[in-house]
Amino acid sequence: LRVVQLDGEGYFEVAHNAKRPFIVKTKRYNIKVLGTTFNVYAYSKRTDEFEASLINGSVDVSARSDIGRKHIFLKPNEKVVEIDGLLQKQTIGSLDRFKWKDGLIYLDDVPFGELMKKFSVYYDIQIVIHNSKVYNYRCTGKFRQSDGIEYALRVIQKDLNFQFVRDDERNVITIK
């Protein structure tokens, strides 16, 4: 048995081995791999979102608790996401979302609030929004993660009127 415990995001390329299954365990779900390429998004620190996306092969996703023991089998270009506590299968729209492994953050019509949640996770910083006008903004583009969050926010400021303040001592960015 090959087992990985994950709290974060991981991109895996796993060789098929029927005698030694590969299992990724997250806080609430297990992903049993049957020889495949897939991505798991399961941060417990900053978000309760869960997503398992299959690029190639097949995976079996199941809840770790005994309640509602349900298995969802994914085919290539499918993903399973948790919505209101339930797993739902969806089609993967674009593979650009997985470019994070190459240090790139791709955005395709992402609402500002959701974008700040992603930035919070990717840059390990708390982001507080005190400007309700920014919520209508939707972002499409890409950023190199290595350029940093302040660079990304300055680029967005070219299209959207807001200010931000970084408090390094508390590890917080406030959007005003």
Side-chain angles (χ1 to χ4, degrees):
L1 195 63
R2 301 172 289 172
V3 178
V4 172
Q5 185 74 37
L6 178 68
D7 183 356
E9 187 164 12
Y11 186 89
F12 300 89
E13 294 180 7
V14 179
H16 178 72
N17 185 337
K19 293 180 181 177
R20 296 185 64 219
F22 186 89
I23 298 173
V24 177
K25 293 185 175 192
T26 69
K27 183 177 179 181
R28 293 188 311 270
Y29 299 98
N30 289 340
I31 299 95
K32 184 177 180 184
V33 180
L34 310 166
T36 187
T37 303
F38 66 105
N39 191 82
V40 178
Y41 182 93
Y43 288 89
S44 66
K45 183 178 177 184
R46 295 210 185 269
T47 179
D48 282 336
E49 294 177 39
F50 172 83
E51 179 181 298
S53 304
L54 182 63
I55 313 305
N56 293 305
S58 61
V59 296
D60 171 10
V61 180
S62 63
R64 290 187 69 177
S65 69
D66 290 336
I67 300 171
R69 188 58 128 176
K70 182 178 180 182
H71 292 263
I72 295 181
F73 292 91
L74 296 180
K75 296 180 214 164
N77 295 317
E78 290 182 337
K79 66 182 179 178
V80 63
V81 296
E82 181 181 353
I83 299 173
D84 297 327
L86 299 173
L87 291 178
Q88 295 183 16
K89 191 186 291 191
Q90 300 176 352
T91 301
I92 296 173
S94 167
L95 297 180
D96 286 342
R97 184 238 173 284
F98 308 114
K99 298 285 186 179
W100 67 267
K101 66 183 179 41
D102 301 322
L104 296 172
I105 301 171
Y106 273 81
L107 309 166
D108 185 17
D109 198 34
V110 177
F112 188 83
E114 186 179 321
L115 175 59
M116 292 304 108
K117 285 182 187 177
K118 288 179 186 292
F119 281 177
S120 177
V121 169
Y122 289 143
Y123 293 108
D124 193 28
I125 192 164
Q126 181 182 357
I127 300 175
V128 179
I129 301 173
H130 288 303
N131 179 348
S132 61
K133 295 177 183 175
V134 299
Y135 283 105
N136 292 329
Y137 180 74
R138 301 181 78 83
C139 186
T140 298
K142 65 182 174 181
F143 296 100
R144 281 189 304 271
Q145 197 168 355
S146 62
D147 287 340
I149 189 167
E150 291 184 24
Y151 171 79
L153 291 173
R154 284 193 300 274
V155 168
I156 296 169
Q157 281 179 319
K158 292 178 181 181
D159 288 337
L160 182 63
N161 186 21
F162 70 94
Q163 301 299 316
F164 68 92
V165 177
R166 183 172 187 154
D167 181 341
D168 287 325
E169 198 171 295
R170 291 182 23 233
N171 197 35
V172 173
I173 290 180
T174 304
I175 306 289
K176 299 178 178 184

